[in-house]
């Protein structure tokens, strides 16, 4: 699905300065399947998911195979760099100057923090601030994309209510997790940030309005499978939750609902050809708790892609060809 846009004559404040990068983005979007944002998110997803697989295999009974041990350092390095480069690529193609600067801050400081541990604190602060600013601009543009008068506050807020709720939860998880890693309220903010991160995942099926029997059934089956696996091998499950997702403090019920919700959202959105939200949900899941800078940048990119690719916002709530309600 594409990001909500306005006609040239109806450009919103802050996004009316159409530039050469925006024209290049439109030409690119016309010649490839899927939006540039979805493709950049998919590029970041590959190494992020690769690190998750490596971590899972390390805790498997057979351990990591030799080829996996050889590839692990490269995959880890790519997972630290590629999401930041994807944020920079996203910055090149946006129209709003404020959003361009915010995304560039996420990308540049994500790279700086990945190569220089001494720059971790300012890099983490810049990633958090840039993510928040990019989400605010994206939600503002989505709200302004509605055409025509509305007769109630509910109708006015409809285009941004559900993506705004997910973005707020995700940003809170990002802020608390990074603050805990920086040494602020570690004993309270670390578990709180982890819980909110998985609450964000659990909210995805509701926010994306997964109402089909197949979609909701997949959510329930995946969550039940996580609970059964944890009950069958609690020590292994605890190690996997800690190492793979950095979610050792998350209650099992929330962990299961979050994983199940993200998996169901990815499958449902892929089925209805909403590839941007599907990629974003997969990024949020594979990034895990955003307590380290590579996880934080991948998580932030997932939030930005999700808001940008949510669905077109029209004058009234209606169903798009992808099956997702506009409002």
């Amino acid at each position: 699905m594409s990001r909500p846009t306005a006609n040239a004559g109806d450009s919103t404040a802050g996004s009316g300065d159409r530039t050469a990068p925006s024209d290049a983005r439109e030409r690119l979007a016309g010649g490839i399947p899927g939006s540039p944002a979805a493709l950049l998110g998919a590029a970041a997803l590959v190494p992020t998911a690769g690190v998750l697989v490596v971590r899972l295999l390390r805790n498997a009974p057979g351990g990591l195979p030799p080829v996996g041990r050889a590839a692990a350092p490269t995959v880890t390095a790519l997972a630290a760099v590629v999401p930041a480069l994807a944020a920079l690529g996203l910055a090149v193609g946006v129209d709003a100057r404020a959003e361009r600067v915010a995304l560039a801050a996420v990308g540049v400081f994500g790279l700086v923090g990945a190569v220089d541990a001494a720059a971790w604190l300012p890099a983490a602060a810049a990633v958090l601030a840039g993510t928040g600013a990019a989400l605010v601009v994206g939600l503002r543009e989505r709200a302004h994309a509605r055409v025509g008068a509305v007769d109630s506050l509910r109708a006015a807020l409809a285009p941004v209510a559900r993506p705004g709720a997910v973005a707020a939860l995700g940003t809170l998880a990002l802020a608390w997790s990074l603050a805990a890693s920086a040494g602020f309220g570690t004993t309270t903010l670390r578990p709180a940030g982890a819980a909110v991160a998985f609450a964000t995942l659990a909210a995805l099926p509701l926010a994306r309005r997964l109402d089909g029997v197949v979609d909701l059934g997949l959510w329930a089956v995946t969550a039940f499978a996580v609970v059964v696996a944890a009950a069958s091998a609690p020590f292994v499950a605890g190690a996997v939750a800690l190492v793979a997702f950095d979610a050792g403090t998350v209650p099992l019920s929330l962990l299961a609902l979050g994983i199940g919700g993200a998996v169901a959202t990815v499958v449902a959105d892929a089925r209805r050809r909403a590839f941007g939200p599907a990629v974003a949900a997969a990024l949020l899941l594979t990034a895990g708790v955003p307590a380290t800078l590579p996880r934080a940048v991948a998580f932030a990119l997932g939030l930005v892609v999700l808001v940008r690719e949510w669905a077109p916002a029209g004058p009234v709530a209606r169903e798009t060809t992808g099956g997702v309600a506009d409002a």
Side-chain angles (χ1 to χ4, degrees):
M1 293 210 172
S2 61
R3 186 188 180 193
T5 57
N7 291 332
D10 300 322
S11 296
T12 61
S15 63
D17 53 317
R18 299 194 59 81
T19 60
S22 68
D23 295 337
R25 182 194 65 184
E26 289 183 357
R27 289 195 299 270
L28 179 64
I32 55 177
S35 70
L39 294 174
L40 287 168
L45 175 62
V46 173
T48 304
V51 168
L52 177 65
V53 171
V54 167
R55 290 167 177 159
L56 289 172
L57 290 177
R58 278 176 177 162
N59 287 273
L64 196 62
V67 64
R69 287 194 295 270
T74 301
V75 175
T76 302
L78 289 174
V81 171
V82 175
L85 292 175
L88 285 174
L90 204 55
V92 171
V94 298
D95 298 331
R97 189 174 286 113
E99 188 176 15
R100 195 179 310 135
V101 172
L103 289 171
V106 174
V108 170
F109 282 94
L111 290 174
V112 170
V115 300
D116 187 1
W120 188 93
L121 187 58
V127 167
L128 176 59
T131 302
L135 291 173
V136 168
V137 174
L139 290 169
R140 185 191 66 186
E141 291 190 357
R142 178 174 174 79
H144 289 174
R146 178 178 291 279
V147 179
V150 293
D151 56 2
S152 68
L153 179 61
R154 179 181 178 183
L157 294 177
V160 298
R162 290 182 290 114
V166 176
L169 280 174
T171 304
L172 187 61
L174 193 66
W176 283 355
S177 299
L178 288 176
S181 296
F184 301 102
T186 302
T187 56
T188 55
L189 289 183
R190 185 175 293 279
V196 176
F198 275 83
T200 304
L201 297 179
L204 286 175
L206 303 176
R208 295 293 298 161
R209 288 186 175 172
L210 271 62
D211 54 4
V213 174
V214 174
D215 300 334
L216 294 178
L218 180 59
W219 185 10
V221 168
T222 305
F224 181 72
V226 172
V227 172
V228 170
S232 303
F235 293 106
V236 174
V240 167
L242 178 62
V243 175
F245 297 106
D246 200 12
T249 60
V250 178
L252 177 59
S253 57
L254 183 56
L255 185 74
L257 285 174
I259 295 175
V263 170
T265 302
V266 170
V267 173
D269 276 333
R271 283 176 53 240
R272 54 196 182 189
R273 302 184 65 80
F275 297 119
V279 167
L283 258 178
L284 293 174
L285 174 62
T286 54
V289 178
T292 65
L293 204 54
R295 288 182 186 269
V297 174
F299 194 88
L301 184 65
L303 291 175
V304 172
V305 172
L306 183 68
V307 169
R308 286 176 59 86
E309 299 293 301
W310 189 271
V316 294
R318 55 184 172 81
E319 293 294 317
T320 69
T321 54
V324 186
D326 286 350

